[in-house]
Structure formats: C-alpha cells, structure tokens
Amino acid sequence: SLFNMACPSYSSMINGKGSKLYCYDVAQKRIVWETDYLVSNDIFILNDKYVFCSYGFTGEKKFLFMLDKLTGKVYSKIPMVYSVQYMELQKKNNRDMLYVVDYNDHLFTYSVSDKPAPAQQRK
C-alpha cells in the first residue's frame, strides 16, 4: 500500500519535513520504503513498474517524479513551472503515456521509459 504524509503548509513552515511517500506492507506490518521529504504531496499514480508523484506549491520549487515501485528510488525528477494538479496514465501503441496537467491548465505528455523525456506540451 502507498500513502502520503502530505505537507500541511509551505515546507519552510515545517522545516522542510513533509510530503513523503511511503510504501507499507500490510501483511508484514512494516514500511518497505519511503521517499525523501518534498517528493509527494497528495497526487500519485502508478503502473506495474513505476510510481508518478509531484511536489510543489506557489512559492516553492515544483517537480514531477518517477519512482521505482519496488524500492522508491527516484528515476526522474522533472522541474515544473506550476504545481501538478492532475495525472493520468493511458496506453498508446502498447506504451504507457503519462498525461500531466499543471495549475495553469498546461498539458504535458510523457512517454514512460526508464528515463522519460517530455514529448510535448499543449495549452
């Protein structure tokens, strides 16, 4: 099971100690892995191999992350201009496509691989 320890305010107000993502094994009653702080703030989705999450508020740096689903290792950290508001995965030509919408309704499309790169941005 995955869950967030979401940041209740700007990270500067809590000394940067918020917005972690945890993977918890319910059967073994233990945390399998956890991210660093400021990696995931509420929104996350996953496929069979990766977890996609984001962090960032108005006055803070914003990023989109791709994590290894089994270890929590960060594969990709993409800077964003605006906070991520929505994410969705869809299959297209037998490939996972990640669609990300930011706070200003910009759509970003990523082809998911071991090192995803931005495919396009639409407004």
Side-chain angles (χ1 to χ4, degrees), residues 20 28 30 37 49 57 62-63 93 104-105 108 119:
K20 278 182 141 179
Q28 295 183 15
R30 69 176 186 88
Y37 291 113
K49 193 171 180 181
F57 289 109
K62 299 143 198 75
F63 296 98
N93 299 324
N104 276 357
D105 293 330
F108 298 86

Side-chain angles (χ1 to χ4, degrees), residues 88-92 95-99 109-112 119-120:
E88 183 176 312
L89 278 167
Q90 292 183 6
K91 286 276 189 208
K92 187 174 183 181
R95 192 159 185 107
D96 279 342
M97 300 298 292
L98 176 66
Y99 298 95
T109 304
Y110 301 91
S111 177
V112 177
Q120 60 186 339

Side-chain angles (χ1 to χ4, degrees), residues 2-117:
L2 295 175
F3 66 94
N4 272 308
M5 187 238 328
C7 188
S9 64
Y10 286 102
S11 65
S12 60
M13 298 176 81
I14 57 170
N15 298 319
K17 302 217 182 213
S19 300
K20 278 182 141 179
L21 187 63
Y22 292 88
C23 178
Y24 185 77
D25 185 319
V26 176
Q28 295 183 15
K29 299 180 182 176
R30 69 176 186 88
I31 294 173
V32 177
W33 56 258
E34 62 188 85
T35 65
D36 290 336
Y37 291 113
L38 309 181
V39 170
S40 182
N41 201 37
D42 292 332
I43 301 171
F44 66 87
I45 60 174
L46 49 119
N47 65 8
D48 59 336
K49 193 171 180 181
Y50 303 110
V51 178
F52 304 92
C53 55
S54 68
Y55 177 80
F57 289 109
T58 309
E60 298 180 327
K61 292 183 180 179
K62 299 143 198 75
F63 296 98
L64 174 65
F65 292 91
M66 182 175 89
L67 312 174
D68 182 289
K69 187 175 169 182
L70 299 177
T71 67
K73 174 186 172 189
V74 175
Y75 277 116
S76 179
K77 179 180 178 181
I78 300 171
M80 301 291 291
V81 175
Y82 301 104
S83 298
V84 171
Q85 297 298 303
Y86 179 78
M87 288 188 280
E88 183 176 312
L89 278 167
Q90 292 183 6
K91 286 276 189 208
K92 187 174 183 181
N93 299 324
N94 278 340
R95 192 159 185 107
D96 279 342
M97 300 298 292
L98 176 66
Y99 298 95
V100 176
V101 178
D102 73 11
Y103 187 75
N104 276 357
D105 293 330
H106 298 119
L107 172 64
F108 298 86
T109 304
Y110 301 91
S111 177
V112 177
S113 65
D114 285 343
K115 294 184 180 177

